[in-house]
Amino acid sequence: MKRVTLLALATALPSMALAEAHMAGEGPAVSYGQRPAYLIDKMEDGELKQKLMSCEGQTPQRTAFSIGHRGAPLMFPEHTVQSNLAAARQGAGILECDVTFTADHELVCRHAQNDLHTTTDILVTDLAGKCTTPFSPAGEGTEAAAECRTSDLTLAEFRELSPKMDAANKAATTAEEYQGGTADWRTDLYVDGAELMTHAESIELFDSLGADFTPELKSASVEMPHDGFSQEDYAQKLIDEYKAAEIDPSRVWAQSFNLDDVKYWIENEPEFGAQAVYLDDRYEAEDDDEGLIDPNDPATFKPTMQELADMGVNYIAPPMWMLVTLDEAGEIVPSAYAEEAKAAGLNLITWTLERSGPLAGGGGWYFQSVTDAIDDDGDYYELLDVLAQDVGVAGVFSDWPASVTYYANCMGL
């Protein structure tokens, strides 16, 4: 009995010390784990591999170059306390809460307002009846489907949910079966006990972890204004929660795909607007839309990079593939988009490393402009090196921040 007591005490002490460090804003100790070394081992022999191997014994340090994308969702349920703890322990100096709102207009961390059916257990709870579109089973020629929004629930109801890995079994015939579908290169190992967060709670947590903040104002799935809650109210409430927590604006990079949100912050909250990030998604426009961007044709950049800068935009954040292309020798090099952005004095942040899983098949969506050069997991570092050294990005979102942290520490970023 005495041995058990002593063991319990010894086990508790590190947690107590960690909690005290969190309260002091120092953050947890940083550890790389196994993945960076695994990726380096997979690289082709060369100068970059040798450089990264030479840093194996370095002491890990937190870095703002490494940004936790929804925490560390390669292995942990996204936007949970545990996912962000993991990201902080991997050295992410900036953490993300994607912000949406509930039926009573409280701000919570979710990647989309309408993702509760794939990121929580709502369909197997008593709250399933509140979903915008109830669960329907797979049938002949049809997939299982549902749509559940945070705006379907009050904050109190949202808190009743349990998070899970973002996935769905589209062949499911029951709501219980629909809970599956996690990609085989992810895991459900860390789902048990994961905790959802409000935006205000994320601010408190990230601050205690010694990290800075990059909240993203997500597009609403409901028509705006929503019960008198306008888009401007929404954008302002996000900033107000940092003010209430007395967070210095220099620690906040508020993001939005909606340029009007960014302009609102620039005009109405200039201290926060100075670091507001325009998530440029004009690559998703239709082929007949004049806004469609070809990352290698500056004539398609409307508004131009200089026009964005003249609006007061200082940061833009396109996906990785927009910033790179292949030269005639098949080497990864900066795209015209990247060159024009830098020429206009815009700071670049990009997303999302390690969201593609194994790269043997070319990397998929996030690597689409350089697919012919991608055939191995070691190429994560090949691309990251071009983004950091040649494109000159200020930070990189990652689903497993340790890999970016290792690179940034090794290169002195």
Side-chain angles (χ1 to χ4, degrees):
M1 187 72 177
K2 181 177 180 182
R3 180 182 178 187
V4 172
T5 302
L6 289 174
L7 179 61
L9 179 60
T11 303
L13 285 174
S15 297
M16 292 165 60
L18 183 60
E20 291 174 359
H22 289 181
M23 292 300 293
E26 298 171 6
V30 177
S31 173
Y32 295 134
Q34 295 297 312
R35 185 156 176 81
Y38 168 81
L39 296 180
I40 294 167
D41 287 344
K42 300 279 282 184
M43 295 176 68
E44 294 183 4
D45 290 338
E47 184 177 342
L48 178 59
K49 181 174 183 177
Q50 291 301 315
K51 171 62 177 175
L52 293 174
M53 288 178 65
S54 74
C55 298
E56 188 174 3
Q58 68 185 356
T59 300
Q61 301 289 331
R62 195 174 325 283
T63 168
F65 188 82
S66 179
I67 306 172
H69 179 244
R70 317 183 200 180
L74 183 65
M75 298 259 182
F76 291 81
E78 63 186 47
H79 289 310
T80 60
V81 171
Q82 290 70 24
S83 186
N84 283 286
L85 281 169
R89 288 168 175 148
Q90 293 174 33
I94 303 175
L95 298 174
E96 179 187 43
C97 168
D98 287 331
V99 178
T100 188
F101 59 85
T102 58
D104 44 355
H105 301 149
E106 295 298 330
L107 304 186
V108 296
C109 298
R110 287 290 88 199
H111 178 63
Q113 188 168 55
N114 62 341
D115 73 1
L116 294 183
H117 51 289
T118 63
T119 64
T120 76
D121 66 344
I122 187 170
L123 292 176
V124 292
T125 73
D126 292 340
L127 294 169
K130 289 186 169 255
C131 290
T132 294
T133 304
F135 171 75
S136 60
E140 188 173 346
T142 61
E143 294 182 334
E147 184 183 1
C148 305
R149 302 174 177 177
T150 58
S151 53
D152 293 332
L153 309 177
T154 64
L155 176 59
E157 291 168 332
F158 173 80
R159 290 189 183 280
E160 295 177 24
L161 303 177
S162 295
K164 69 181 192 68
M165 294 298 283
D166 184 10
N169 176 5
K170 298 297 182 65
T173 57
T174 67
E176 288 75 15
E177 290 178 353
Y178 192 76
Q179 304 303 292
T182 302
D184 58 11
W185 44 270
R186 294 184 183 270
T187 182
D188 293 313
L189 187 61
Y190 303 110
V191 169
D192 187 44
E195 302 162 88
L196 298 173
M197 295 186 296
T198 66
H199 177 235
E201 288 166 349
S202 79
I203 296 172
E204 182 179 7
L205 175 66
F206 299 174
D207 191 36
S208 75
L209 294 172
D212 290 340
F213 316 84
T214 185
E216 180 188 337
L217 196 73
K218 303 301 295 189
S219 298
S221 298
V222 294
E223 185 175 348
M224 298 292 280
H226 178 259
D227 295 339
F229 189 59
S230 70
Q231 186 68 27
E232 292 76 15
D233 294 334
Y234 183 25
Q236 186 62 52
K237 185 165 186 173
L238 180 146
I239 299 300
D240 287 345
E241 294 198 342
Y242 288 94
K243 289 181 170 181
E246 299 183 345
I247 299 298
D248 192 302
S250 67
R251 298 178 61 197
V252 182
W253 285 263
Q255 316 167 66
S256 180
F257 280 106
N258 183 348
L259 184 56
D260 287 340
D261 292 337
V262 175
K263 291 165 66 176
Y264 174 87
W265 291 323
I266 291 169
E267 294 165 8
N268 296 279
E269 292 288 351
E271 288 188 291
F272 289 90
Q275 291 189 164
V277 182
Y278 174 39
L279 295 161
D280 191 353
D281 68 344
R282 291 174 289 165
Y283 54 85
E284 289 189 341
E286 297 296 330
D287 290 342
D288 59 355
D289 189 328
E290 292 182 359
L292 182 67
I293 279 184
D294 176 348
N296 291 309
D297 182 4
T300 67
F301 306 167
K302 303 293 183 183
T304 67
M305 299 301 176
Q306 189 57 56
E307 287 170 341
L308 287 173
D310 291 344
M311 293 175 194
V313 176
N314 292 317
Y315 287 84
I316 62 172
M320 298 184 301
W321 65 267
M322 287 284 290
L323 296 175
V324 291
T325 188
L326 297 178
D327 64 13
E328 292 182 358
E331 299 295 324
I332 302 174
V333 296
S335 66
Y337 178 99
E339 301 286 8
E340 290 282 324
K342 297 299 288 186
L346 297 172
N347 298 290
L348 290 165
I349 299 171
T350 194
W351 43 277
T352 302
L353 204 73
E354 297 200 74
R355 192 154 185 84
S356 303
L359 298 185
W365 192 86
Y366 288 93
F367 291 80
Q368 60 187 278
S369 63
V370 294
T371 296
D372 290 346
I374 304 299
D375 59 11
D376 189 271
D377 288 358
D379 290 329
Y380 275 119
Y381 275 136
E382 300 288 352
L383 175 61
L384 181 58
D385 189 57
V386 174
L387 291 169
Q389 306 302 330
D390 301 329
V391 175
V393 298
V396 177
F397 283 90
S398 176
D399 276 15
W400 200 247
S403 302
V404 177
T405 302
Y406 184 101
Y407 176 91
N409 282 185
C410 188
M411 299 298 179
L413 301 180

